[in-house]
Amino acid sequence: MNVLLVGSGGREHALAWKLAQSPGLTTLFAAPGNPGIANHAECVALNVADHSAITDFCRKKDIVLVVVGPEAPLVAGLADDLRAAGIAVFGPSKAAAQLEGSKGFTKALCTRANIPTAGYAHVTSLEQARTAIAPFGLPVVIKADGLAAGKGVTIAMTPEEADATLAALFAEPGGEAVIEEFLTGEEASLFVLSDGTALVPFGSAQDHKRVGDGDTGPNTGGMGAYSPARVLTPELERRAIDEIVRPTVEALAAEGTPYSGVLYAGLMLTNTGPKLIEYNARFGDPECQVLMARFEGNLLALLLAVAEGRLADAPVPAFADAPALTVVMAARGYPGTPETGAAIGGIDAAEAAGATVFQAGTKLAGDTLVAAGGRVLAVTASGPDVASAQAAAYRGVDALDFPTGFCRRDIGWREVERERA
């Protein structure tokens, strides 16, 4: 069968890599794709925001399934328009994707469904925000209410930092924010597939959001991840599903907006149990890279079962026991303005060293692969334990020729320390 993958980042390269291994695939198309994705798919220059053009392409190419990778097209309603044209889609509707598109929407749903999450205030003006923030104390979490590519969160440690963050958020008309209590604990990411009715776990991961070693510096879209997140024990995973994810899926279904796709729950593991930090309406990036490295099933068949409402009859997702770890190589300047255009070499050497290199912010300049974004590569490897996977990933990193790139050198450090204990 013919499949269209929407997106151009490292997440989509990992999905293309795994979809290309699926029995039953005839041709994989990617819109717009990237040079790494082009090794597994036929890349097409479609404007993802032009839903009619995507629908017409699907009809012309007899596309059986569309897999939407990034969040922005989902929030814009691409899945709705494709379904209206009779085309199966892996990804939630515009209404259900508000779980990621609006933090205020998610917080209100948590209140209605009694889902454990941080205390919060949803504010729509600077004056309201300055009044609402006082009871929270410090540190306090301030989130832009909208899509922010993983970078719309500030943990303010001083009153001055909090006020400057709020002032920046409300500098333009129409700004909204969510102010949250600061939760103490360790973070973990839980992935669950749902077709609107059935629900099955799809692995866990722990990412590294800060740009610098030791979790220092500003938040980014993610500098690396490993899977599984063993800190999310089977008992805690069951609690997270029963107390957080399942009530969310049931509430959306009851309100006429069933959730179909992958639901990514960012969790804080507090001393009273897991609490929801946020939802994403798609696979994480770089979490997808480590999930795909461990997934052992037929990805195409599984995603199609979700899209067609047959998840209850699909095989339970199977993952390798061996952990996987990915290290993001970012361009100098990230998460600010990245330095683009620098040549990238050594990918073959990195893969010969035992890693798989997923491309994110890359493009071809003639025959030369160059950096074209903030997060450029995700160097991924597996091993019998996290320390071994970490060592293999950094061997891959060190084989690259990307002098203007940088990475954290401590991805997986928490779990490596636990393994050594």
Side-chain angles (χ1 to χ4, degrees):
M1 68 186 77
N2 293 341
V3 175
L4 173 63
L5 172 64
V6 174
S8 62
R11 166 184 46 233
E12 288 75 40
H13 188 179
L15 289 169
W17 174 77
K18 185 56 70 171
L19 284 167
Q21 301 170 32
S22 298
L25 178 69
T26 303
T27 302
L28 177 62
F29 297 94
N34 68 34
I37 293 171
N39 293 324
H40 314 287
E42 182 180 326
C43 294
V44 290
L46 287 173
N47 179 359
V48 173
D50 188 342
H51 297 184
S52 294
I54 293 179
T55 301
D56 290 344
F57 177 85
C58 290
R59 287 174 171 148
K60 179 181 178 182
K61 296 295 185 179
D62 296 320
I63 299 296
V64 173
L65 175 68
V66 178
V67 178
V68 183
E71 61 274 21
L74 294 169
V75 172
L78 175 59
D80 305 73
D81 291 338
L82 289 167
R83 288 189 180 107
I87 300 163
V89 187
F90 180 83
S93 66
K94 179 178 182 177
Q98 287 183 91
L99 284 177
E100 179 165 5
S102 171
K103 293 175 177 64
F105 172 87
T106 298
K107 285 294 192 176
L109 184 146
C110 287
T111 299
R112 294 196 304 275
N114 197 30
I115 292 168
T117 188
Y120 76 101
H122 181 206
V123 294
T124 56
S125 71
L126 181 56
E127 181 181 5
Q128 184 187 18
R130 283 173 168 161
T131 301
I133 201 169
F136 284 90
L138 293 169
V140 63
V141 181
I142 302 171
K143 298 179 178 180
D145 189 16
L147 296 180
K151 292 182 282 187
V153 178
T154 298
I155 301 172
M157 306 302 291
T158 67
E160 293 77 16
E161 185 182 9
D163 197 68
T165 300
L166 292 173
L169 284 174
F170 291 103
E172 299 293 333
E176 296 186 29
V178 169
I179 301 168
E180 290 186 355
E181 69 169 317
F182 179 78
L183 296 177
T184 301
E186 193 164 338
E187 290 188 39
S189 302
L190 173 63
F191 297 83
V192 176
L193 301 178
S194 174
D195 61 5
T197 304
L199 183 155
V200 298
F202 194 80
S204 65
Q206 187 172 74
D207 74 343
H208 300 63
K209 293 183 175 67
R210 300 276 187 174
V211 72
D213 286 8
D215 295 324
T216 57
N219 270 326
T220 74
M223 295 299 294
Y226 67 91
S227 175
R230 293 198 174 99
V231 68
L232 185 67
T233 63
E235 178 189 358
L236 288 174
E237 181 176 306
R238 282 192 296 272
R239 285 191 62 182
I241 290 173
D242 292 342
E243 299 173 15
I244 297 173
V245 180
R246 195 181 309 281
T248 299
V249 171
E250 290 175 348
L252 289 174
E255 294 169 7
T257 56
Y259 192 97
S260 176
V262 60
L263 188 54
Y264 163 2
L267 305 172
M268 183 68 78
L269 306 180
T270 74
N271 57 10
T272 59
K275 291 189 177 183
L276 180 70
I277 301 172
E278 64 182 5
Y279 275 129
N280 292 321
R282 36 70 190 183
F283 287 110
D285 188 348
E287 295 90 344
C288 187
Q289 288 86 315
V290 288
L291 289 175
M292 292 303 119
R294 294 183 56 233
F295 179 62
E296 295 184 320
N298 182 334
L299 184 64
L300 173 54
L302 182 60
L303 301 191
L304 186 62
V306 172
E308 295 182 342
R310 300 182 287 101
L311 181 58
D313 299 323
V316 175
F319 291 86
D321 291 333
L325 183 143
T326 191
V327 178
V328 168
M329 288 290 292
R332 183 187 296 156
Y334 180 79
T337 302
E339 181 178 321
T340 59
I344 301 165
I347 288 179
D348 289 345
E351 298 200 328
T356 300
V357 181
F358 296 114
Q359 297 184 34
T362 64
K363 69 176 183 180
L364 287 174
D367 294 329
T368 302
L369 187 70
V370 301
R375 292 183 297 163
V376 180
L377 306 171
V379 184
T380 309
S382 299
D385 51 33
V386 173
S388 301
Q390 181 193 61
Y394 281 112
R395 283 195 297 272
V397 167
D398 293 337
L400 291 170
D401 181 13
F402 181 25
T404 63
F406 74 95
C407 68
R408 284 182 56 165
R409 302 296 305 195
D410 64 345
I411 300 302
W413 66 270
R414 289 184 183 85
E415 190 61 25
V416 170
E417 286 187 355
R418 282 189 281 264
E419 289 177 348
R420 291 171 177 165

